Amino acid sequence: MSRIFSGIQPSGELHIGNYLGAVKNWAELQRSYESFFCIVDYHAITIPYEPEDLRVRTREMMVSLLAAGLDPSRSTIFVQSMVPEHTELAWIFNSVTPLGELERQTQYKDKASRMESVPAGILNYPILQAADILLYRADLVPVGEDQVQHLELSREIARRWNARFGDGFFPEPQAKLTPARRIMGLDGNAKMSKSMGNTVGLLEPPESIWEKLRPAVTDPARVRRTDPGTPEVCNIYQLHRGFSTPETVEHVAAQCRSAGWGCIDCKKTLAASIETELVPIRRRASELAERPSDVEDALASGATRCRRIARETIDAVRERMGF
Ligand code: ATP
Ligand code: MG
């Protein structure tokens, strides 16, 4: 059976972009793959943070992931810092990663441009990510589009290490995308990101979702109510594709093209579709919040399972590298 690995940072609340681009897919894929899902807290310390917030957010992320459908009886869900082999392999990969490749990563350039003093961790982030994946020798990585370039680098790192120390030892991991591979923030300016403060939370109450949805940017060609639009360029349509039934998606697209509906009608329908999907997720989250020991138990057993596999990989790597 193929192995999949994917991670999410506890850098804020799980949002509908994470859900449509990655987490919903994880819940589906765990049925047919041996699956590892990781809350990557060592990645989250590469931007400024408060220690107490990190602790809280890590638990909240676990609750959100379980509520969104990850099932500890089907997949291994764990916290990165509970398995120290991730950082050990990352250091090893530092020695085979070309600096130029790191410097041309779009996410590095983007995040660094918003910082006065750039920590080396922001630059080296994709090395730790390669270690996360390759520690479990996973061949498939379900992610959003923003991670495709990092995965290309993971393959490069695997190739370079393999060429030097062990032909074919590490697989070259491939990205697995969803149709909603890139959800924009509702202001239309940038990708929806935890760290950008432009998110709609998966556990957010419906009134607050609507407050954000109502003024959201749509196809700029629809200036007047009577102007026809192009659904494909509209973020609201992309969200419909994630949350609405195929019939509704088709209907919405036709109404947009013919200016049969105004954007507000389209948004109301979207709010209803989102609500249908989120009601059971919210309910599961509030049930889980009442049972913190179940959440801790799931994390502890996930970490135990990972440590065993991680140790096997590291032992083989050390052996091949002459330690
Ligand atoms: P941060 O701002 O801290 O980087 P993030 O919102 O980008 O947070 P990550 O933890 O970096 O979230 O990524 C988790 C997963 O969600 C990754 O697979 C990523 O590709 C996916 N993802 C993140 N944002 C989006 C988005 N706007 N649309 C689709 N997928 C996304
Ligand atoms: Mg991100």
PDB file of all heavy atoms in Angstrom, residues 6-11 15 17-18 20-22 26 40 47 107 111 125 142-147 180-184 191-196 199, ligand 1:
ATOM      1  N   SER A   6       1.124  14.162   5.211  1.00  0.00           N
ATOM      2  CA  SER A   6       0.915  15.592   5.027  1.00  0.00           C
ATOM      3  C   SER A   6       0.906  16.283   6.378  1.00  0.00           C
ATOM      4  O   SER A   6       0.718  15.631   7.410  1.00  0.00           O
ATOM      5  CB  SER A   6      -0.367  15.880   4.255  1.00  0.00           C
ATOM      6  OG  SER A   6      -0.287  17.168   3.663  1.00  0.00           O
ATOM      7  N   GLY A   7       1.134  17.584   6.367  1.00  0.00           N
ATOM      8  CA  GLY A   7       1.227  18.323   7.623  1.00  0.00           C
ATOM      9  C   GLY A   7       0.478  19.634   7.579  1.00  0.00           C
ATOM     10  O   GLY A   7       0.150  20.157   6.502  1.00  0.00           O
ATOM     11  N   ILE A   8       0.201  20.147   8.774  1.00  0.00           N
ATOM     12  CA  ILE A   8      -0.422  21.468   8.883  1.00  0.00           C
ATOM     13  C   ILE A   8       0.183  22.184  10.090  1.00  0.00           C
ATOM     14  O   ILE A   8       0.448  21.554  11.120  1.00  0.00           O
ATOM     15  CB  ILE A   8      -1.957  21.355   8.976  1.00  0.00           C
ATOM     16  CG1 ILE A   8      -2.608  22.736   8.929  1.00  0.00           C
ATOM     17  CG2 ILE A   8      -2.404  20.583  10.238  1.00  0.00           C
ATOM     18  CD1 ILE A   8      -4.088  22.710   8.554  1.00  0.00           C
ATOM     19  N   GLN A   9       0.429  23.483   9.944  1.00  0.00           N
ATOM     20  CA  GLN A   9       1.045  24.235  11.040  1.00  0.00           C
ATOM     21  C   GLN A   9      -0.003  24.661  12.065  1.00  0.00           C
ATOM     22  O   GLN A   9      -1.079  25.099  11.674  1.00  0.00           O
ATOM     23  CB  GLN A   9       1.664  25.515  10.501  1.00  0.00           C
ATOM     24  CG  GLN A   9       2.747  25.306   9.501  1.00  0.00           C
ATOM     25  CD  GLN A   9       3.405  26.627   9.183  1.00  0.00           C
ATOM     26  OE1 GLN A   9       4.122  27.196   9.997  1.00  0.00           O
ATOM     27  NE2 GLN A   9       3.164  27.135   7.990  1.00  0.00           N
ATOM     28  N   PRO A  10       0.348  24.596  13.361  1.00  0.00           N
ATOM     29  CA  PRO A  10      -0.563  25.151  14.368  1.00  0.00           C
ATOM     30  C   PRO A  10      -0.347  26.657  14.498  1.00  0.00           C
ATOM     31  O   PRO A  10      -0.140  27.163  15.589  1.00  0.00           O
ATOM     32  CB  PRO A  10      -0.174  24.386  15.640  1.00  0.00           C
ATOM     33  CG  PRO A  10       1.278  24.091  15.463  1.00  0.00           C
ATOM     34  CD  PRO A  10       1.524  23.942  13.982  1.00  0.00           C
ATOM     35  N   SER A  11      -0.387  27.351  13.351  1.00  0.00           N
ATOM     36  CA  SER A  11      -0.082  28.790  13.334  1.00  0.00           C
ATOM     37  C   SER A  11      -1.350  29.631  13.425  1.00  0.00           C
ATOM     38  O   SER A  11      -1.295  30.848  13.298  1.00  0.00           O
ATOM     39  CB  SER A  11       0.699  29.126  12.053  1.00  0.00           C
ATOM     40  OG  SER A  11       0.073  28.531  10.934  1.00  0.00           O
ATOM     41  N   HIS A  15      -8.694  26.714   8.556  1.00  0.00           N
ATOM     42  CA  HIS A  15      -9.648  27.515   7.780  1.00  0.00           C
ATOM     43  C   HIS A  15     -10.164  26.746   6.565  1.00  0.00           C
ATOM     44  O   HIS A  15      -9.676  25.647   6.246  1.00  0.00           O
ATOM     45  CB  HIS A  15      -9.027  28.858   7.393  1.00  0.00           C
ATOM     46  CG  HIS A  15      -7.741  28.762   6.598  1.00  0.00           C
ATOM     47  ND1 HIS A  15      -7.719  28.446   5.257  1.00  0.00           N
ATOM     48  CD2 HIS A  15      -6.446  28.932   6.974  1.00  0.00           C
ATOM     49  CE1 HIS A  15      -6.465  28.451   4.836  1.00  0.00           C
ATOM     50  NE2 HIS A  15      -5.668  28.731   5.863  1.00  0.00           N
ATOM     51  N   GLY A  17      -9.806  27.227   3.496  1.00  0.00           N
ATOM     52  CA  GLY A  17      -8.802  26.989   2.449  1.00  0.00           C
ATOM     53  C   GLY A  17      -8.017  25.718   2.740  1.00  0.00           C
ATOM     54  O   GLY A  17      -7.844  24.865   1.865  1.00  0.00           O
ATOM     55  N   ASN A  18      -7.565  25.563   4.000  1.00  0.00           N
ATOM     56  CA  ASN A  18      -6.865  24.329   4.414  1.00  0.00           C
ATOM     57  C   ASN A  18      -7.778  23.128   4.202  1.00  0.00           C
ATOM     58  O   ASN A  18      -7.337  22.060   3.751  1.00  0.00           O
ATOM     59  CB  ASN A  18      -6.503  24.337   5.910  1.00  0.00           C
ATOM     60  CG  ASN A  18      -5.610  25.478   6.333  1.00  0.00           C
ATOM     61  OD1 ASN A  18      -5.832  26.081   7.376  1.00  0.00           O
ATOM     62  ND2 ASN A  18      -4.602  25.785   5.543  1.00  0.00           N
ATOM     63  N   LEU A  20     -10.517  22.728   2.158  1.00  0.00           N
ATOM     64  CA  LEU A  20     -10.802  22.349   0.760  1.00  0.00           C
ATOM     65  C   LEU A  20      -9.532  21.940   0.015  1.00  0.00           C
ATOM     66  O   LEU A  20      -9.570  21.056  -0.844  1.00  0.00           O
ATOM     67  CB  LEU A  20     -11.487  23.500   0.017  1.00  0.00           C
ATOM     68  CG  LEU A  20     -12.877  23.885   0.502  1.00  0.00           C
ATOM     69  CD1 LEU A  20     -13.435  24.999  -0.373  1.00  0.00           C
ATOM     70  CD2 LEU A  20     -13.836  22.696   0.512  1.00  0.00           C
ATOM     71  N   GLY A  21      -8.414  22.593   0.332  1.00  0.00           N
ATOM     72  CA  GLY A  21      -7.175  22.296  -0.389  1.00  0.00           C
ATOM     73  C   GLY A  21      -6.504  21.021   0.092  1.00  0.00           C
ATOM     74  O   GLY A  21      -5.789  20.373  -0.660  1.00  0.00           O
ATOM     75  N   ALA A  22      -6.719  20.660   1.369  1.00  0.00           N
ATOM     76  CA  ALA A  22      -5.953  19.539   1.913  1.00  0.00           C
ATOM     77  C   ALA A  22      -6.764  18.612   2.822  1.00  0.00           C
ATOM     78  O   ALA A  22      -6.938  17.433   2.526  1.00  0.00           O
ATOM     79  CB  ALA A  22      -4.728  20.086   2.656  1.00  0.00           C
ATOM     80  N   TRP A  26      -7.581  14.556   2.946  1.00  0.00           N
ATOM     81  CA  TRP A  26      -6.933  13.614   3.875  1.00  0.00           C
ATOM     82  C   TRP A  26      -7.977  12.648   4.420  1.00  0.00           C
ATOM     83  O   TRP A  26      -7.716  11.438   4.505  1.00  0.00           O
ATOM     84  CB  TRP A  26      -6.284  14.342   5.067  1.00  0.00           C
ATOM     85  CG  TRP A  26      -5.215  15.324   4.716  1.00  0.00           C
ATOM     86  CD1 TRP A  26      -4.688  15.575   3.479  1.00  0.00           C
ATOM     87  CD2 TRP A  26      -4.542  16.207   5.619  1.00  0.00           C
ATOM     88  NE1 TRP A  26      -3.736  16.553   3.569  1.00  0.00           N
ATOM     89  CE2 TRP A  26      -3.626  16.960   4.854  1.00  0.00           C
ATOM     90  CE3 TRP A  26      -4.624  16.444   7.001  1.00  0.00           C
ATOM     91  CZ2 TRP A  26      -2.798  17.919   5.427  1.00  0.00           C
ATOM     92  CZ3 TRP A  26      -3.803  17.398   7.573  1.00  0.00           C
ATOM     93  CH2 TRP A  26      -2.896  18.134   6.793  1.00  0.00           C
ATOM     94  N   VAL A  40       2.592  20.308  12.441  1.00  0.00           N
ATOM     95  CA  VAL A  40       4.025  20.620  12.340  1.00  0.00           C
ATOM     96  C   VAL A  40       4.389  21.851  13.183  1.00  0.00           C
ATOM     97  O   VAL A  40       4.563  22.953  12.672  1.00  0.00           O
ATOM     98  CB  VAL A  40       4.479  20.748  10.866  1.00  0.00           C
ATOM     99  CG1 VAL A  40       4.471  19.373  10.199  1.00  0.00           C
ATOM    100  CG2 VAL A  40       3.589  21.679  10.053  1.00  0.00           C
ATOM    101  N   ILE A  47       7.952  31.759  12.550  1.00  0.00           N
ATOM    102  CA  ILE A  47       7.437  33.134  12.602  1.00  0.00           C
ATOM    103  C   ILE A  47       7.217  33.480  14.090  1.00  0.00           C
ATOM    104  O   ILE A  47       7.083  32.576  14.916  1.00  0.00           O
ATOM    105  CB  ILE A  47       6.131  33.311  11.783  1.00  0.00           C
ATOM    106  CG1 ILE A  47       5.054  32.330  12.250  1.00  0.00           C
ATOM    107  CG2 ILE A  47       6.377  33.144  10.302  1.00  0.00           C
ATOM    108  CD1 ILE A  47       3.672  32.644  11.713  1.00  0.00           C
ATOM    109  N   GLN A 107       7.563  30.830  -1.381  1.00  0.00           N
ATOM    110  CA  GLN A 107       7.061  31.093  -0.021  1.00  0.00           C
ATOM    111  C   GLN A 107       8.123  31.775   0.838  1.00  0.00           C
ATOM    112  O   GLN A 107       7.813  32.666   1.624  1.00  0.00           O
ATOM    113  CB  GLN A 107       6.599  29.800   0.651  1.00  0.00           C
ATOM    114  CG  GLN A 107       6.050  30.048   2.051  1.00  0.00           C
ATOM    115  CD  GLN A 107       5.503  28.804   2.724  1.00  0.00           C
ATOM    116  OE1 GLN A 107       4.489  28.251   2.320  1.00  0.00           O
ATOM    117  NE2 GLN A 107       6.194  28.352   3.750  1.00  0.00           N
ATOM    118  N   LYS A 111       7.413  35.321   2.511  1.00  0.00           N
ATOM    119  CA  LYS A 111       7.415  35.501   3.972  1.00  0.00           C
ATOM    120  C   LYS A 111       8.573  36.405   4.407  1.00  0.00           C
ATOM    121  O   LYS A 111       8.404  37.269   5.262  1.00  0.00           O
ATOM    122  CB  LYS A 111       7.451  34.141   4.705  1.00  0.00           C
ATOM    123  CG  LYS A 111       6.101  33.397   4.627  1.00  0.00           C
ATOM    124  CD  LYS A 111       5.914  32.272   5.643  1.00  0.00           C
ATOM    125  CE  LYS A 111       4.438  31.808   5.613  1.00  0.00           C
ATOM    126  NZ  LYS A 111       4.157  30.525   6.246  1.00  0.00           N
ATOM    127  N   TYR A 125      13.022  25.981   5.973  1.00  0.00           N
ATOM    128  CA  TYR A 125      11.708  25.352   6.146  1.00  0.00           C
ATOM    129  C   TYR A 125      11.475  24.158   5.197  1.00  0.00           C
ATOM    130  O   TYR A 125      11.068  23.085   5.629  1.00  0.00           O
ATOM    131  CB  TYR A 125      10.676  26.466   5.933  1.00  0.00           C
ATOM    132  CG  TYR A 125       9.225  26.139   6.139  1.00  0.00           C
ATOM    133  CD1 TYR A 125       8.532  26.691   7.211  1.00  0.00           C
ATOM    134  CD2 TYR A 125       8.515  25.331   5.246  1.00  0.00           C
ATOM    135  CE1 TYR A 125       7.181  26.424   7.398  1.00  0.00           C
ATOM    136  CE2 TYR A 125       7.179  25.066   5.426  1.00  0.00           C
ATOM    137  CZ  TYR A 125       6.517  25.617   6.506  1.00  0.00           C
ATOM    138  OH  TYR A 125       5.182  25.354   6.679  1.00  0.00           O
ATOM    139  N   PRO A 142      -0.713  14.815  -0.095  1.00  0.00           N
ATOM    140  CA  PRO A 142      -1.887  15.623  -0.439  1.00  0.00           C
ATOM    141  C   PRO A 142      -1.782  17.023   0.162  1.00  0.00           C
ATOM    142  O   PRO A 142      -1.809  17.180   1.376  1.00  0.00           O
ATOM    143  CB  PRO A 142      -3.057  14.834   0.173  1.00  0.00           C
ATOM    144  CG  PRO A 142      -2.468  13.931   1.198  1.00  0.00           C
ATOM    145  CD  PRO A 142      -1.014  13.763   0.903  1.00  0.00           C
ATOM    146  N   VAL A 143      -1.655  18.034  -0.697  1.00  0.00           N
ATOM    147  CA  VAL A 143      -1.429  19.426  -0.268  1.00  0.00           C
ATOM    148  C   VAL A 143      -2.168  20.381  -1.198  1.00  0.00           C
ATOM    149  O   VAL A 143      -2.668  19.981  -2.254  1.00  0.00           O
ATOM    150  CB  VAL A 143       0.074  19.806  -0.341  1.00  0.00           C
ATOM    151  CG1 VAL A 143       0.856  19.220   0.812  1.00  0.00           C
ATOM    152  CG2 VAL A 143       0.676  19.386  -1.676  1.00  0.00           C
ATOM    153  N   GLY A 144      -2.191  21.656  -0.807  1.00  0.00           N
ATOM    154  CA  GLY A 144      -2.673  22.714  -1.683  1.00  0.00           C
ATOM    155  C   GLY A 144      -1.585  23.116  -2.663  1.00  0.00           C
ATOM    156  O   GLY A 144      -0.421  22.717  -2.529  1.00  0.00           O
ATOM    157  N   GLU A 145      -1.982  23.938  -3.642  1.00  0.00           N
ATOM    158  CA  GLU A 145      -1.065  24.304  -4.725  1.00  0.00           C
ATOM    159  C   GLU A 145       0.198  25.034  -4.232  1.00  0.00           C
ATOM    160  O   GLU A 145       1.273  24.895  -4.820  1.00  0.00           O
ATOM    161  CB  GLU A 145      -1.809  25.197  -5.713  1.00  0.00           C
ATOM    162  CG  GLU A 145      -1.075  25.443  -6.987  1.00  0.00           C
ATOM    163  CD  GLU A 145      -1.912  26.320  -7.896  1.00  0.00           C
ATOM    164  OE1 GLU A 145      -2.165  27.475  -7.552  1.00  0.00           O
ATOM    165  OE2 GLU A 145      -2.337  25.813  -8.940  1.00  0.00           O
ATOM    166  N   ASP A 146       0.055  25.779  -3.114  1.00  0.00           N
ATOM    167  CA  ASP A 146       1.199  26.555  -2.615  1.00  0.00           C
ATOM    168  C   ASP A 146       2.376  25.663  -2.213  1.00  0.00           C
ATOM    169  O   ASP A 146       3.489  26.156  -2.057  1.00  0.00           O
ATOM    170  CB  ASP A 146       0.767  27.431  -1.424  1.00  0.00           C
ATOM    171  CG  ASP A 146       0.204  26.610  -0.278  1.00  0.00           C
ATOM    172  OD1 ASP A 146      -0.565  25.659  -0.528  1.00  0.00           O
ATOM    173  OD2 ASP A 146       0.551  26.897   0.883  1.00  0.00           O
ATOM    174  N   GLN A 147       2.132  24.370  -2.030  1.00  0.00           N
ATOM    175  CA  GLN A 147       3.210  23.474  -1.591  1.00  0.00           C
ATOM    176  C   GLN A 147       3.878  22.720  -2.737  1.00  0.00           C
ATOM    177  O   GLN A 147       4.818  21.945  -2.511  1.00  0.00           O
ATOM    178  CB  GLN A 147       2.684  22.470  -0.557  1.00  0.00           C
ATOM    179  CG  GLN A 147       2.215  23.123   0.733  1.00  0.00           C
ATOM    180  CD  GLN A 147       3.313  23.932   1.400  1.00  0.00           C
ATOM    181  OE1 GLN A 147       4.479  23.543   1.396  1.00  0.00           O
ATOM    182  NE2 GLN A 147       2.945  25.092   1.956  1.00  0.00           N
ATOM    183  N   ALA A 180     -10.015  22.203  -5.539  1.00  0.00           N
ATOM    184  CA  ALA A 180      -9.928  23.522  -4.882  1.00  0.00           C
ATOM    185  C   ALA A 180      -8.526  23.716  -4.353  1.00  0.00           C
ATOM    186  O   ALA A 180      -8.302  23.848  -3.153  1.00  0.00           O
ATOM    187  CB  ALA A 180     -10.940  23.601  -3.750  1.00  0.00           C
ATOM    188  N   ARG A 181      -7.552  23.753  -5.255  1.00  0.00           N
ATOM    189  CA  ARG A 181      -6.151  23.699  -4.849  1.00  0.00           C
ATOM    190  C   ARG A 181      -5.644  25.025  -4.292  1.00  0.00           C
ATOM    191  O   ARG A 181      -4.592  25.083  -3.669  1.00  0.00           O
ATOM    192  CB  ARG A 181      -5.304  23.299  -6.046  1.00  0.00           C
ATOM    193  CG  ARG A 181      -5.548  24.238  -7.232  1.00  0.00           C
ATOM    194  CD  ARG A 181      -4.788  23.803  -8.436  1.00  0.00           C
ATOM    195  NE  ARG A 181      -5.182  22.469  -8.863  1.00  0.00           N
ATOM    196  CZ  ARG A 181      -4.592  21.798  -9.844  1.00  0.00           C
ATOM    197  NH1 ARG A 181      -3.563  22.332 -10.448  1.00  0.00           N
ATOM    198  NH2 ARG A 181      -5.017  20.631 -10.202  1.00  0.00           N
ATOM    199  N   ARG A 182      -6.357  26.114  -4.550  1.00  0.00           N
ATOM    200  CA  ARG A 182      -5.900  27.428  -4.067  1.00  0.00           C
ATOM    201  C   ARG A 182      -7.110  28.318  -3.807  1.00  0.00           C
ATOM    202  O   ARG A 182      -7.705  28.863  -4.739  1.00  0.00           O
ATOM    203  CB  ARG A 182      -5.005  28.076  -5.115  1.00  0.00           C
ATOM    204  CG  ARG A 182      -4.445  29.421  -4.712  1.00  0.00           C
ATOM    205  CD  ARG A 182      -3.625  29.987  -5.871  1.00  0.00           C
ATOM    206  NE  ARG A 182      -3.321  31.383  -5.646  1.00  0.00           N
ATOM    207  CZ  ARG A 182      -2.280  31.803  -4.933  1.00  0.00           C
ATOM    208  NH1 ARG A 182      -1.451  30.957  -4.410  1.00  0.00           N
ATOM    209  NH2 ARG A 182      -2.081  33.086  -4.779  1.00  0.00           N
ATOM    210  N   ILE A 183      -7.471  28.463  -2.538  1.00  0.00           N
ATOM    211  CA  ILE A 183      -8.576  29.338  -2.159  1.00  0.00           C
ATOM    212  C   ILE A 183      -7.993  30.693  -1.777  1.00  0.00           C
ATOM    213  O   ILE A 183      -7.042  30.767  -1.005  1.00  0.00           O
ATOM    214  CB  ILE A 183      -9.363  28.725  -0.963  1.00  0.00           C
ATOM    215  CG1 ILE A 183      -9.956  27.353  -1.337  1.00  0.00           C
ATOM    216  CG2 ILE A 183     -10.440  29.673  -0.467  1.00  0.00           C
ATOM    217  CD1 ILE A 183     -10.975  27.376  -2.458  1.00  0.00           C
ATOM    218  N   MET A 184      -8.555  31.752  -2.341  1.00  0.00           N
ATOM    219  CA  MET A 184      -8.063  33.095  -2.013  1.00  0.00           C
ATOM    220  C   MET A 184      -8.744  33.601  -0.743  1.00  0.00           C
ATOM    221  O   MET A 184      -9.850  33.156  -0.390  1.00  0.00           O
ATOM    222  CB  MET A 184      -8.395  34.059  -3.160  1.00  0.00           C
ATOM    223  CG  MET A 184      -7.743  33.700  -4.475  1.00  0.00           C
ATOM    224  SD  MET A 184      -5.950  33.860  -4.405  1.00  0.00           S
ATOM    225  CE  MET A 184      -5.777  35.664  -4.448  1.00  0.00           C
ATOM    226  N   LYS A 191      -3.642  34.479  -1.158  1.00  0.00           N
ATOM    227  CA  LYS A 191      -4.101  33.160  -0.733  1.00  0.00           C
ATOM    228  C   LYS A 191      -4.634  33.243   0.699  1.00  0.00           C
ATOM    229  O   LYS A 191      -4.064  33.934   1.529  1.00  0.00           O
ATOM    230  CB  LYS A 191      -2.896  32.212  -0.785  1.00  0.00           C
ATOM    231  CG  LYS A 191      -3.123  30.847  -0.220  1.00  0.00           C
ATOM    232  CD  LYS A 191      -1.825  30.061  -0.151  1.00  0.00           C
ATOM    233  CE  LYS A 191      -1.178  30.099   1.223  1.00  0.00           C
ATOM    234  NZ  LYS A 191      -1.856  29.369   2.290  1.00  0.00           N
ATOM    235  N   MET A 192      -5.712  32.527   0.993  1.00  0.00           N
ATOM    236  CA  MET A 192      -6.185  32.465   2.373  1.00  0.00           C
ATOM    237  C   MET A 192      -5.117  31.749   3.199  1.00  0.00           C
ATOM    238  O   MET A 192      -4.710  30.647   2.860  1.00  0.00           O
ATOM    239  CB  MET A 192      -7.523  31.714   2.434  1.00  0.00           C
ATOM    240  CG  MET A 192      -8.191  31.781   3.794  1.00  0.00           C
ATOM    241  SD  MET A 192      -9.797  30.925   3.874  1.00  0.00           S
ATOM    242  CE  MET A 192     -10.873  32.068   3.030  1.00  0.00           C
ATOM    243  N   SER A 193      -4.626  32.407   4.262  1.00  0.00           N
ATOM    244  CA  SER A 193      -3.549  31.838   5.083  1.00  0.00           C
ATOM    245  C   SER A 193      -3.803  32.134   6.545  1.00  0.00           C
ATOM    246  O   SER A 193      -4.201  33.253   6.879  1.00  0.00           O
ATOM    247  CB  SER A 193      -2.198  32.480   4.764  1.00  0.00           C
ATOM    248  OG  SER A 193      -1.751  32.120   3.502  1.00  0.00           O
ATOM    249  N   LYS A 194      -3.446  31.183   7.380  1.00  0.00           N
ATOM    250  CA  LYS A 194      -3.585  31.392   8.825  1.00  0.00           C
ATOM    251  C   LYS A 194      -2.834  32.639   9.243  1.00  0.00           C
ATOM    252  O   LYS A 194      -3.320  33.440  10.026  1.00  0.00           O
ATOM    253  CB  LYS A 194      -3.043  30.180   9.581  1.00  0.00           C
ATOM    254  CG  LYS A 194      -3.933  28.973   9.476  1.00  0.00           C
ATOM    255  CD  LYS A 194      -3.393  27.836  10.329  1.00  0.00           C
ATOM    256  CE  LYS A 194      -3.015  26.638   9.486  1.00  0.00           C
ATOM    257  NZ  LYS A 194      -1.586  26.602   9.161  1.00  0.00           N
ATOM    258  N   SER A 195      -1.621  32.801   8.723  1.00  0.00           N
ATOM    259  CA  SER A 195      -0.770  33.890   9.183  1.00  0.00           C
ATOM    260  C   SER A 195      -1.128  35.247   8.567  1.00  0.00           C
ATOM    261  O   SER A 195      -0.550  36.259   8.932  1.00  0.00           O
ATOM    262  CB  SER A 195       0.685  33.561   8.887  1.00  0.00           C
ATOM    263  OG  SER A 195       0.833  33.305   7.506  1.00  0.00           O
ATOM    264  N   MET A 196      -2.079  35.275   7.617  1.00  0.00           N
ATOM    265  CA  MET A 196      -2.429  36.552   6.973  1.00  0.00           C
ATOM    266  C   MET A 196      -3.666  37.201   7.593  1.00  0.00           C
ATOM    267  O   MET A 196      -4.032  38.327   7.234  1.00  0.00           O
ATOM    268  CB  MET A 196      -2.690  36.340   5.480  1.00  0.00           C
ATOM    269  CG  MET A 196      -1.459  35.973   4.686  1.00  0.00           C
ATOM    270  SD  MET A 196      -0.377  37.379   4.415  1.00  0.00           S
ATOM    271  CE  MET A 196      -1.275  38.216   3.111  1.00  0.00           C
ATOM    272  N   THR A 199      -8.801  34.706   7.035  1.00  0.00           N
ATOM    273  CA  THR A 199      -9.371  33.358   6.955  1.00  0.00           C
ATOM    274  C   THR A 199     -10.843  33.312   7.359  1.00  0.00           C
ATOM    275  O   THR A 199     -11.333  34.187   8.060  1.00  0.00           O
ATOM    276  CB  THR A 199      -8.601  32.398   7.888  1.00  0.00           C
ATOM    277  OG1 THR A 199      -8.696  32.883   9.220  1.00  0.00           O
ATOM    278  CG2 THR A 199      -7.145  32.306   7.491  1.00  0.00           C
TER     279      THR A 199
HETATM  280  P1  ATP B   1       0.474  29.732   7.270  1.00  0.00           P
HETATM  281  O1  ATP B   1      -0.061  31.087   6.914  1.00  0.00           O
HETATM  282  O2  ATP B   1       0.911  29.639   8.701  1.00  0.00           O
HETATM  283  O3  ATP B   1       1.492  29.220   6.297  1.00  0.00           O
HETATM  284  P2  ATP B   1      -1.562  28.193   5.912  1.00  0.00           P
HETATM  285  O4  ATP B   1      -2.964  28.628   6.000  1.00  0.00           O
HETATM  286  O5  ATP B   1      -0.816  28.481   4.651  1.00  0.00           O
HETATM  287  O6  ATP B   1      -0.805  28.748   7.200  1.00  0.00           O
HETATM  288  P3  ATP B   1      -0.328  25.590   6.213  1.00  0.00           P
HETATM  289  O7  ATP B   1      -0.292  24.964   7.566  1.00  0.00           O
HETATM  290  O8  ATP B   1       0.895  26.267   5.712  1.00  0.00           O
HETATM  291  O9  ATP B   1      -1.562  26.617   6.206  1.00  0.00           O
HETATM  292  O10 ATP B   1      -0.783  24.506   5.144  1.00  0.00           O
HETATM  293  C1  ATP B   1      -1.620  23.409   5.461  1.00  0.00           C
HETATM  294  C2  ATP B   1      -2.174  22.803   4.183  1.00  0.00           C
HETATM  295  O11 ATP B   1      -3.225  23.648   3.660  1.00  0.00           O
HETATM  296  C3  ATP B   1      -1.153  22.677   3.055  1.00  0.00           C
HETATM  297  O12 ATP B   1      -1.398  21.456   2.379  1.00  0.00           O
HETATM  298  C4  ATP B   1      -1.462  23.844   2.143  1.00  0.00           C
HETATM  299  O13 ATP B   1      -1.087  23.594   0.803  1.00  0.00           O
HETATM  300  C5  ATP B   1      -2.971  23.938   2.287  1.00  0.00           C
HETATM  301  N1  ATP B   1      -3.453  25.300   2.057  1.00  0.00           N
HETATM  302  C6  ATP B   1      -3.096  26.391   2.760  1.00  0.00           C
HETATM  303  N2  ATP B   1      -3.739  27.481   2.318  1.00  0.00           N
HETATM  304  C7  ATP B   1      -4.530  27.074   1.289  1.00  0.00           C
HETATM  305  C8  ATP B   1      -5.438  27.754   0.412  1.00  0.00           C
HETATM  306  N3  ATP B   1      -5.649  29.053   0.529  1.00  0.00           N
HETATM  307  N4  ATP B   1      -6.080  27.020  -0.530  1.00  0.00           N
HETATM  308  C9  ATP B   1      -5.859  25.679  -0.657  1.00  0.00           C
HETATM  309  N5  ATP B   1      -5.017  24.984   0.148  1.00  0.00           N
HETATM  310  C10 ATP B   1      -4.352  25.671   1.108  1.00  0.00           C
END
